[in-house]
């Protein structure tokens, strides 16, 4: 919904199972009209739309896109942001590391992202920017044995493919007057995990490769080419993911003052576990944590020890084997728990980081796009789901 200071707040529809356009549209018809009536009766209500590659192909067939646009207008709904991270199936199957397939070294990722941009250009209201979040280039464990030449190839191809999308977005701007950006979303074990890695990729790969290519393909000056890169390739700041990197919001925002813009903030909280010093008493915590070890999604764990050093585990199931590790003082787990959850069954959340981001936005509105993301709702422990009726609830003041 449209808030004070020109903020747009919604939730990501990847919480609803559905991979075909028919399934997605049925979900939208089911959930959004009653939500708008309750939460934004007098103003248009925004949608954070997730389309799989299959759905993005289907909506472009026949009259589907025009029909959807008419429905949005009738219901006083609008689409301002999209989730282009998961390409394929995302519910009721094992996703795990397949969420990164295809990665940015492939043409399939380029084609999918451009389709989403074409769809968003048709749906986006005039005078409003649109954003499409996307994967953090690739998945680090796939590249664990890669030599220097291989890594250079991965970064080079990823940058080249992102520049192809920049060219398409620049053309959309010329044709429609609408600015649409793709928003890279760092996450644990992604090729880009934190602000330091994002900045390095821009400075060492994306900017130099992109500036040369855009001068040639679009006839831009060097300064115009650099400006195009920073306009059309931005950052999706997922609060959960940056909390997993133990980056405080204020610190991360400060580091990103290198021309890199935040296109969207995903309001989300990670599962947090404070580990007692007596390792023999951690059995009950292990049992509570095991309730979140499920087979659909990756649940990476980042452990901090009493000297501040971080250790990463690729998934919670594996990490639980190390819960009695001496000197470990805290675990943060990649499990998007509901925003209202501060404590559950002896466990905590990184909810305080969400509150801090909202406070910072009052002082420095780095983006107007806010999206609650709790796609793990279906796989939450049953008792936690029962504690509140709406997975997308968030408070806002200001």
């Amino acid at each position: 919904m449209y808030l004070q200071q020109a903020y747009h707040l919604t939730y990501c529809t990847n919480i609803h199972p559905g991979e075909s356009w028919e399934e997605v549209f049925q979900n939208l018809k089911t959930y959004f009209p009653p939500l708008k009536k309750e939460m934004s009766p007098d103003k248009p209500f925004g949608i954070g739309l997730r389309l799989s590659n299959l759905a993005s192909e289907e909506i472009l067939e026949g009259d589907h896109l025009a029909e959807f646009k008419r429905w949005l207008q009738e219901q006083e709904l609008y689409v301002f942001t999209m989730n282009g991270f998961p390409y394929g199936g995302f519910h009721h199957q094992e996703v795990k590391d397949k969420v990164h397939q295809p990665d940015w070294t492939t043409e399939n990722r380029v084609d999918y992202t451009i389709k989403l941009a074409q769809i968003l250009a048709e749906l986006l209201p005039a005078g409003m920017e649109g954003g499409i979040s996307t994967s953090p280039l690739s998945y680090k464990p796939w590249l664990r044995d890669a030599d220097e030449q291989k890594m250079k190839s991965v970064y080079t191809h990823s940058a080249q493919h992102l520049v192809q999308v920049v060219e398409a977005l620049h053309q959309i701007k010329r044709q429609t007057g609408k600015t649409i950006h793709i928003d890279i979303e760092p996450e644990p074990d992604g090729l880009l995990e934190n602000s330091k890695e994002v900045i390095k990729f821009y400075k060492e790969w994306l900017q130099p490769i992109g500036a040369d290519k855009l001068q040639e393909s679009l006839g831009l000056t060097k300064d115009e080419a650099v400006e195009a890169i920073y306009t059309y390739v931005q950052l999706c700041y997922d609060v959960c993911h940056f909390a997993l990197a133990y980056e405080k919001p204020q610190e991360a925002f400060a580091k990103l003052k290198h021309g890199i813009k935040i296109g969207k903030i995903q309001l989300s909280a990670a599962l947090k576990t404070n580990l007692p010093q007596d390792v023999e008493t951690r059995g009950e915590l292990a049992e509570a944590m095991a309730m979140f070890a499920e087979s659909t999604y990756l649940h990476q764990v980042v452990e901090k020890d009493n000297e501040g050093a971080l250790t990463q585990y690729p998934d919670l199931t594996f990490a639980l084997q190390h819960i009695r590790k001496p000197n470990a003082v805290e675990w943060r787990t990649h499990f998007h728990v509901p925003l209202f959850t501060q404590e559950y069954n002896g466990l905590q959340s990184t909810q305080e980081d969400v509150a801090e981001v909202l406070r910072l936005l009052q002082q420095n509105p780095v983006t107007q796009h806010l999206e609650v993301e709790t796609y793990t709702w279906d796989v939450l422990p049953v008792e936690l789901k029962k504690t509140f009726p709406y997975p997308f609830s968030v408070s806002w003041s200001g």
Side-chain angles (χ1 to χ4, degrees):
M1 54 187 154
Y2 186 78
L3 299 172
Q4 295 181 38
Q5 301 179 13
Y7 288 105
H8 301 272
L9 172 66
T10 186
Y11 75 96
C12 183
T13 60
N14 65 359
I15 193 174
H16 304 303
E19 304 306 324
S20 70
W21 169 242
E22 181 180 2
E23 292 170 323
V24 171
F25 199 12
Q26 186 56 53
N27 283 331
L28 296 174
K29 290 176 179 178
T30 299
Y31 295 105
F32 274 88
L35 276 174
K36 183 194 180 300
K37 183 178 180 180
E38 179 177 343
M39 301 178 71
S40 186
D42 302 321
K43 293 181 181 179
F45 188 75
I47 295 176
L49 185 63
R50 186 259 162 169
L51 297 178
S52 68
N53 183 61
L54 171 63
S56 70
E57 291 175 342
E58 291 177 340
I59 195 176
L60 290 170
E61 296 172 353
D63 192 42
H64 292 318
L65 187 55
E67 177 191 11
F68 181 42
K69 189 174 181 180
R70 287 193 297 270
W71 180 80
L72 290 170
Q73 292 170 344
E74 291 167 359
Q75 300 295 327
E76 294 187 288
L77 300 167
Y78 63 100
V79 177
F80 67 93
T81 186
M82 298 182 74
N83 187 330
F85 192 150
Y87 176 97
F90 196 59
H91 286 276
H92 301 159
Q93 59 187 286
E94 183 179 317
V95 179
K96 296 295 183 182
D97 64 344
K98 290 193 287 292
V99 73
H100 292 278
Q101 296 175 341
D103 67 11
W104 273 101
T105 66
T106 69
E107 288 288 346
N108 284 344
R109 176 60 68 172
V110 177
D111 294 342
Y112 169 54
T113 307
I114 291 176
K115 280 201 296 283
L116 295 181
Q118 292 168 342
I119 293 165
L120 185 55
E122 184 64 28
L123 300 175
L124 187 67
M128 192 180 299
E129 283 195 5
I132 302 167
S133 51
T134 190
S135 77
L137 306 186
S138 191
Y139 184 55
K140 271 182 183 166
W142 294 343
L143 303 166
R144 188 172 289 118
D145 298 324
D147 58 19
E148 183 179 356
Q149 193 61 36
K150 170 65 175 176
M151 291 305 302
K152 285 183 178 179
S153 176
V154 169
Y155 284 117
T156 298
H157 281 94
S158 297
Q160 289 171 339
H161 287 150
L162 283 166
V163 173
Q164 285 183 242
V165 178
V166 169
E167 291 170 330
L169 296 175
H170 188 75
Q171 292 300 332
I172 287 173
K173 173 70 172 180
R174 284 180 171 176
Q175 294 164 5
T176 69
K178 296 177 180 179
T179 299
I180 295 173
H181 40 80
I182 49 174
D183 305 327
I184 297 175
E185 182 180 340
E187 77 163 36
D189 285 337
L191 190 55
L192 304 180
E193 296 189 62
N194 51 52
S195 58
K196 180 181 178 180
E197 292 178 351
V198 168
I199 293 166
K200 183 177 180 180
F201 173 68
Y202 269 82
K203 295 297 184 183
E204 296 185 9
W205 303 98
L206 184 58
Q207 182 174 324
I209 290 172
D212 290 343
K213 181 67 168 63
L214 295 175
Q215 288 178 81
E216 178 185 347
S217 64
L218 299 179
L220 304 178
T221 66
K222 183 176 182 180
D223 287 345
E224 289 171 337
V226 171
E227 182 181 358
I229 292 165
Y230 285 89
T231 297
Y232 297 118
V233 184
Q234 301 191 20
L235 179 74
C236 173
Y237 187 100
D238 186 304
V239 183
C240 165
H241 297 173
F242 277 83
L244 289 161
Y246 290 82
E247 283 197 69
K248 281 294 184 184
Q250 188 168 10
E251 296 170 3
F253 283 14
K255 289 178 186 176
L256 292 168
K257 291 180 180 178
H258 292 264
I260 300 171
K261 300 176 182 177
I262 296 177
K264 170 166 68 175
I265 290 177
Q266 286 184 325
L267 301 171
S268 56
L271 188 65
K272 184 170 76 171
T273 312
N274 294 319
L275 301 173
Q277 289 186 341
D278 181 4
V279 297
E280 297 306 319
T281 65
R282 296 181 187 177
E284 290 185 8
L285 280 179
E287 291 182 12
M289 291 291 293
M291 298 175 66
F292 293 86
E294 55 83 39
S295 61
T296 306
Y297 305 110
L298 279 172
H299 300 298
Q300 304 94 325
V301 175
V302 185
E303 172 188 278
K304 183 169 73 172
D305 68 17
N306 54 13
E307 295 183 353
L310 303 181
T311 300
Q312 291 190 209
Y313 302 102
D315 209 351
L316 177 57
T317 303
F318 177 74
L320 284 169
Q321 302 172 33
H322 302 269
I323 198 166
R324 289 180 172 81
K325 179 181 172 182
N327 302 326
V329 297
E330 183 179 336
W331 274 13
R332 296 188 179 185
T333 303
H334 185 202
F335 199 115
H336 287 226
V337 294
L339 293 183
F340 58 78
T341 304
Q342 188 169 22
E343 188 169 347
Y344 172 75
N345 204 17
L347 309 173
Q348 298 80 42
S349 81
T350 59
Q351 184 193 74
E352 69 273 10
D353 282 25
V354 177
E356 178 63 19
V357 164
L358 294 176
R359 283 192 292 269
L360 289 172
L361 286 175
Q362 304 297 315
Q363 308 160 18
N364 181 20
V366 295
T367 181
Q368 275 72 49
H369 290 190
L370 308 176
E371 180 183 53
V372 177
E373 190 188 33
T374 317
Y375 64 85
T376 46
W377 187 260
D378 271 357
V379 296
L380 283 169
V382 174
E383 291 304 315
L384 180 53
K385 284 197 282 189
K386 288 179 179 178
T387 61
F388 200 85
Y390 295 118
F392 37 79
S393 178
V394 63
S395 61
W396 173 272
S397 61

